[in-house]
């Protein structure tokens, strides 16, 4: 088909050479790159400093390559008339201020990527690209979109984020094949009602706009799994949105919500992020409906109480209630098994869990039963009563028995007193917090908790090496060793097969700890503010559960392109390293853009 079209255009009709046009002022695209593009159907011109696209790129499928008339070679690589039409064109990270109408000369395009340029408008000829499936014009200066854009019947992904759009075309709902739409970081004040027609849309990103309301018609998007409305001006969410039966992730952070929306039909909802709002109360009935919820993020609100009904969320893995006004917390929030990640920092309240629910008389009876008449002798610690603050007691017995928490933090202690471990007795301990002391080694008696402990915090100490005791905690899932003086990790840590989060920030690592490559459950590696000089992307790819990798402020001189193949990464942080590429502008676009950039740099 391509050969036939070229034969028809070989004579000098409308598609022939344009006479009278001046030669390109800047260097043409290398002929070797064009030859590869004719064979593969893909042309990557990203990051070449182009201020315009050379004409022979638009006409790559219409004209014979340079030198073809003189060439007498007819090897397989030289039969240009039989080669592939261009289907993928990447022009990202250049200096383009406009696109030529000649883009219509590439009707076979399925992918057009022009992100990170200086475009202020798009050509109407885009509407002629009937095969186009992905269009990325993000990180430009677009103020409007051409109506012809709505004529793309096969468009599945449309990336419009980080532009200057104040409105979207009313007919956007005509893009019936659309599965992914990102209009975040624009200036939108309203969403067209025609969005309701996008019944195949799976991901919709409306974050960082100026939306004050959402159209109730969004509920017609029966395929939508991810909806991001972060950082707008929403005060309510339409009740109809509760009918979005396929919704799995909902982001409502940084709005003006006063109540958590109801979701009676969202049986598949796994993540609900509603932090930094003005929510004061959690409706018990609403919580009962969220049976599939794994992540509930409500930090930085004005919540005063957490109802007991939250305990019915049996699949909950992460509950973030930090920075609220909570005074009442149900006792059942800490389950019998290894608890989920529960963030309650800065609550500023003392919880009497079980007793507050029984009323004043039972509470008074309990407090009286705890009063001790003993007067401490010289050198003795004061008696521990129900009114003793945790900071005033050597061991918080209540925390051990009720929260399964062994805490001896912020004491500036050179070692953990034996009495702390003695107080555990036969009680199972899930969480250990020995942070902010002067420890120089792992407490040897930590191994006594190996049958139950799954979260250990030893940050902000002076630990220089990891002893074998820590490697015996085979139920460990979270390990915090930040702000120590570590330079290496022992290979014996390979035994920690359940470890999925490790924090090694602010240590003295010069080499990426090789043992981390052999911990298959790892989901989060925090290694910022060290001196790491290199990483092995092939071994990192083997960590198929790894979602977060923080390597900020290290000594990476280069980022291997193969790191782009680690497609499971949701958060890759590389700022503050001395490498030259990817550039800061690429890093600022987020993980997905960085990974795509790295993949584009992998040698063919």
């Amino acid at each position: 088909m391509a050969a036939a079209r070229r034969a028809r255009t070989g004579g000098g009709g409308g598609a022939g050479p344009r006479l009278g046009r001046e030669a390109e002022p800047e260097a043409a695209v290398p002929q070797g790159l064009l030859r590869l593009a004719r064979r593969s159907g893909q042309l990557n011109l990203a990051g070449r400093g182009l201020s315009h696209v050379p004409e022979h790129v638009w006409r790559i499928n219409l004209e014979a390559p340079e030198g073809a008339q003189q060439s007498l070679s007819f090897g397989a690589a030289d039969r240009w008339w039989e080669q592939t039409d261009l289907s993928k064109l990447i022009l990202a990270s250049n200096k383009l201020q406009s696109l030529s109408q000649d883009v219509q000369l590439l009707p076979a395009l399925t992918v057009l990527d022009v992100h990170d340029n200086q475009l202020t408008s798009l050509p109407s000829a885009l509407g002629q690209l009937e095969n186009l499936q992905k269009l990325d014009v993000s990180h430009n200066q677009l103020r409007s979109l051409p109506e012809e854009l709505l004529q793309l019947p096969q468009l599945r992904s449309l990336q419009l984020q980080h532009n200057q759009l104040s409105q979207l075309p009313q007919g956007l709902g005509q893009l019936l094949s659309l599965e992914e739409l990102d209009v975040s970081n624009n200036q939108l004040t309203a969403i067209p009602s025609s969005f309701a027609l996008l019944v195949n849309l799976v991901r919709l990103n409306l974050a960082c706009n100026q939306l004050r309301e959402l159209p109730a018609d969004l509920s017609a998007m029966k395929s939508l799994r991810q909806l991001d409305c972060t950082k707008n001006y929403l005060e309510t969410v339409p009740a109809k949105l509760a009918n979005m039966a396929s919704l799995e992730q909902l982001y409502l952070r940084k709005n003006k919500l006063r109540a958590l929306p109801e979701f009676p039909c969202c049986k598949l909802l796994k993540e609900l992020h509603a932090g930094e709002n003005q929510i004061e109360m959690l409706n018990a009935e609403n919580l009962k409906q969220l049976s599939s919820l794994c992540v509930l993020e409500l930090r930085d609100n004005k919540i005063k109480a957490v109802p007991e009904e939250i305990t019915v969320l049996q699949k909950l893995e992460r509950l973030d209630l930090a920075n609220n006004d909570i005074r009442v917390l149900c006792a059942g929030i800490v389950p019998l098994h290894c608890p989920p990640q529960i963030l309650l920092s800065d609550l500023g309240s003392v919880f009497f869990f079980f007793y507050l629910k029984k009323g004043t008389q039972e509470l008074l009876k309990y407090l009286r039963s705890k009063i001790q008449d003993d007067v401490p002798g010289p050198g003795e610690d004061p008696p521990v009563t129900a009114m003793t603050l945790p900071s005033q007691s050597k061991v918080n017995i209540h925390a051990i028995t009720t929260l399964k928490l062994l805490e001896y933090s912020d004491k500036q202690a050179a070692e953990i007193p034996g009495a702390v471990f003695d107080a555990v007795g036969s009680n199972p301990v899930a969480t250990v917090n020995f942070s902010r002391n002067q420890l120089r080694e792992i407490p040897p008696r930590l191994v006594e908790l190996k049958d139950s402990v799954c979260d250990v915090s030893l940050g902000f100490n002076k630990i220089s090496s990891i002893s074998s005791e820590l490697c015996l905690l085979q139920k460990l899932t979270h390990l915090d060793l930040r702000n120590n003086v570590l330079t290496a990790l022992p290979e014996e840590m390979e035994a920690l097969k359940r470890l999925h989060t490790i924090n090694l920030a602010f240590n003295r690592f010069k080499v990426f700890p090789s043992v981390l490559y052999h911990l298959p459950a790892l989901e989060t590696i925090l290694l910022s503010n060290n001196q790491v000089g290199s990483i092995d992307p092939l071994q990192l790819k083997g960590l198929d559960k790894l979602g977060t990798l923080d390597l900020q402020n290290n000594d990476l001189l280069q980022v291997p392109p193969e790191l782009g193949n680690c497609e499971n990464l949701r958060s890759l942080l590389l700022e503050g390293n001395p490498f030259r590429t990817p550039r800061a502008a690429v890093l600022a676009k987020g993980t997905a853009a960085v990974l795509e950039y790295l993949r584009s740099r992998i040698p063919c």
Side-chain angles (χ1 to χ4, degrees):
M1 182 179 298
R5 185 172 69 252
R6 295 186 188 104
R8 288 196 301 270
T9 59
R18 301 186 177 184
L19 300 177
R21 180 170 295 193
E22 296 182 1
E24 303 289 344
E26 59 185 68
V29 176
Q31 287 299 314
L33 200 58
L34 292 175
R35 281 196 294 271
L36 286 174
R38 287 189 173 94
R39 289 203 296 269
S40 66
Q42 301 182 13
L43 180 58
N44 188 343
L45 298 177
R48 289 180 171 268
L50 299 176
S51 60
H52 74 280
V53 180
E55 183 179 341
H56 56 271
V57 170
W58 299 127
R59 304 176 66 80
I60 188 173
N61 295 145
L62 299 177
E63 299 175 346
E66 183 178 326
Q69 304 294 338
Q70 291 77 30
S71 175
L72 298 178
S73 171
F74 294 99
D78 298 301
R79 293 200 294 267
W80 53 268
W81 58 89
E82 293 181 358
Q83 294 173 13
T84 308
D85 283 347
L86 199 65
S87 61
K88 183 176 182 179
L89 177 59
I90 300 177
L91 298 167
S93 301
N94 281 292
K95 301 176 182 179
L96 304 177
Q97 297 182 1
S98 64
L99 286 182
S100 169
Q101 295 286 356
D102 286 347
V103 69
Q104 63 187 312
L105 300 179
L106 300 173
L109 278 184
T110 60
V111 175
L112 177 58
D113 184 349
V114 205
H115 81 265
D116 187 24
N117 277 283
Q118 302 167 21
L119 301 177
T120 57
S121 63
L122 297 176
S124 59
L126 282 178
Q128 302 297 316
L129 305 180
E130 295 184 353
N131 294 300
L132 198 63
Q133 297 179 18
K134 179 180 179 180
L135 176 60
D136 189 344
V137 292
S138 62
H139 293 268
N140 278 284
Q141 301 169 24
L142 301 176
R143 295 182 180 274
S144 63
L145 301 175
E147 291 293 328
E148 290 79 5
L149 193 66
L150 311 179
Q151 301 171 9
L152 301 175
Q154 298 190 46
L155 193 64
R156 296 180 182 176
S157 174
L158 180 55
Q159 306 291 319
L160 298 168
Q161 66 269 28
H162 290 275
N163 277 285
Q164 300 173 25
L165 300 172
S166 57
Q167 61 181 7
L168 297 173
Q170 286 297 323
L172 201 61
Q174 298 174 33
L175 299 174
L176 299 180
S177 298
L178 208 58
E179 297 176 0
E180 181 178 17
L181 175 59
D182 191 338
V183 294
S184 62
N185 291 278
N186 278 283
Q187 301 166 17
L188 301 176
T189 57
I191 298 300
S193 58
S194 66
F195 267 37
L197 301 176
L198 301 176
V199 293
N200 292 309
L201 202 65
V202 175
R203 291 178 293 276
L204 175 58
N205 193 342
L206 303 172
C208 302
N209 278 286
Q210 300 172 23
L211 303 175
R212 297 187 179 276
E213 61 181 6
L214 297 176
D217 293 338
L218 288 183
S219 61
M221 295 179 176
K222 300 302 182 183
S223 301
L224 198 66
R225 296 179 190 171
Q226 184 183 86
L227 175 59
D228 192 343
C229 299
T230 300
K231 202 173 182 182
N232 279 281
Y233 299 103
L234 302 176
E235 296 183 2
T236 59
V237 173
K240 279 191 175 181
L241 258 59
N243 297 323
M244 304 175 78
S246 298
L247 196 63
E248 296 180 3
Q249 296 176 308
L250 178 59
Y251 296 84
L252 296 169
R253 302 185 73 249
K254 296 187 178 182
N255 279 282
K256 296 185 177 182
L257 300 177
R258 295 187 177 277
L260 200 63
E262 298 183 19
F263 302 100
C265 298
C266 297
K267 302 300 182 184
L268 299 180
L269 191 63
K270 297 178 181 178
E271 296 187 22
L272 176 55
H273 301 261
E276 296 188 58
N277 278 281
Q278 300 173 25
I279 299 172
E280 297 183 357
M281 184 178 68
L282 297 180
N283 186 300
E285 292 303 315
N286 291 357
L287 292 174
K288 288 181 179 179
Q289 300 160 0
L290 304 175
S291 56
S292 297
L293 209 61
C294 299
V295 176
L296 179 56
E297 189 263 299
L298 296 167
R299 67 179 301 124
D300 296 287
N301 276 285
K302 299 179 180 179
I303 300 170
K304 294 181 173 58
V306 179
E308 185 175 358
E309 283 75 9
I310 204 167
T311 61
V312 306
L313 304 180
Q314 295 297 313
K315 296 183 179 180
L316 199 63
E317 297 176 2
R318 183 173 185 268
L319 173 62
D320 191 343
L321 296 169
N323 302 326
N324 276 280
D325 299 329
I326 297 176
R327 306 221 186 290
V328 180
L329 190 70
C330 69
I333 196 170
V334 180
L336 294 177
H337 56 80
C338 186
Q341 185 180 2
I342 302 177
L343 304 178
L344 300 170
S345 60
D346 304 320
L347 294 179
S349 305
V350 177
F351 303 128
F352 294 99
F353 301 103
F354 176 74
Y355 303 98
L356 284 176
K357 294 191 299 180
K358 287 194 171 186
T360 303
Q361 293 304 315
E362 287 293 321
L363 177 58
L364 290 174
K365 180 179 178 182
Y366 166 74
L367 293 176
R368 283 194 295 269
S369 72
K370 294 296 181 181
I371 295 177
Q372 299 182 9
D373 296 327
D374 297 344
V375 177
E380 295 182 4
D381 289 329
V384 178
T385 72
M387 300 308 295
T388 303
L389 295 175
S391 60
Q392 298 172 328
S393 173
K394 179 172 290 188
V395 186
N396 189 338
I397 302 296
H398 177 72
I400 294 174
T401 57
T402 307
L403 300 177
K404 300 181 183 177
L405 166 65
L406 180 60
E407 181 165 14
Y408 195 79
S409 63
D410 206 9
K411 307 287 188 182
Q412 301 302 308
E415 60 181 21
I416 305 300
V420 173
F421 289 99
D422 294 341
V424 174
S426 61
N427 293 294
V429 168
T431 302
V432 172
N433 184 1
F434 292 159
S435 63
R436 299 184 185 278
N437 282 293
Q438 299 290 321
L439 304 180
R440 295 183 178 275
E441 62 178 4
I442 305 295
R445 292 187 63 180
L446 196 59
V447 71
E448 297 175 11
L449 311 176
K450 63 183 178 66
D451 292 333
S452 59
V453 70
C454 56
D455 188 334
V456 171
S457 178
L458 292 164
F460 299 91
N461 279 287
K462 296 181 178 180
I463 299 172
S464 59
S465 63
I466 303 299
S467 60
S468 59
E469 285 82 7
L470 187 69
C471 304
L472 296 175
L473 307 180
Q474 296 186 12
K475 292 188 177 181
L476 204 60
T477 59
H478 291 76
L479 178 58
D480 188 346
L481 291 166
R482 76 183 108 166
N483 291 78
N484 279 283
V485 290
L486 295 169
T487 58
L489 297 180
E491 292 301 320
E492 289 80 2
M493 282 185 64
E494 189 173 347
L496 305 179
K497 297 298 184 183
R498 299 187 185 183
L499 189 67
H500 62 71
T501 299
I502 186 166
N503 191 342
L504 299 170
F506 291 94
N507 275 280
R508 298 180 182 178
F509 291 96
K510 293 186 177 181
V511 178
F512 190 95
S514 60
V515 69
L516 298 184
Y517 295 129
H518 306 295
L519 297 175
L522 273 179
E523 298 176 8
T524 300
I525 298 176
L526 306 178
L527 198 56
S528 65
N529 294 279
N530 280 277
Q531 303 167 40
V532 175
S534 64
I535 52 176
D536 187 335
L538 297 180
Q539 296 207 63
L540 279 174
K541 192 175 188 301
L543 299 176
D544 53 12
K545 294 184 179 180
L546 188 64
T548 299
L549 177 60
D550 186 352
L551 293 168
Q552 296 178 97
N553 301 314
N554 275 280
D555 292 340
L556 294 175
L557 293 176
Q558 63 178 356
V559 181
E562 292 78 10
L563 186 61
N565 290 328
C566 298
E567 298 184 7
N568 290 323
L569 283 175
R570 298 186 301 275
S571 178
L572 174 61
L573 304 173
L574 297 170
E575 290 82 359
N577 281 279
F579 56 75
R580 298 183 63 183
T581 57
R583 296 178 300 162
V586 176
L587 298 180
K589 296 172 190 175
T591 298
V594 173
L595 294 179
E596 185 173 354
Y597 170 83
L598 291 174
R599 286 194 294 271
S600 73
R601 309 282 290 187
I602 297 176
C604 297

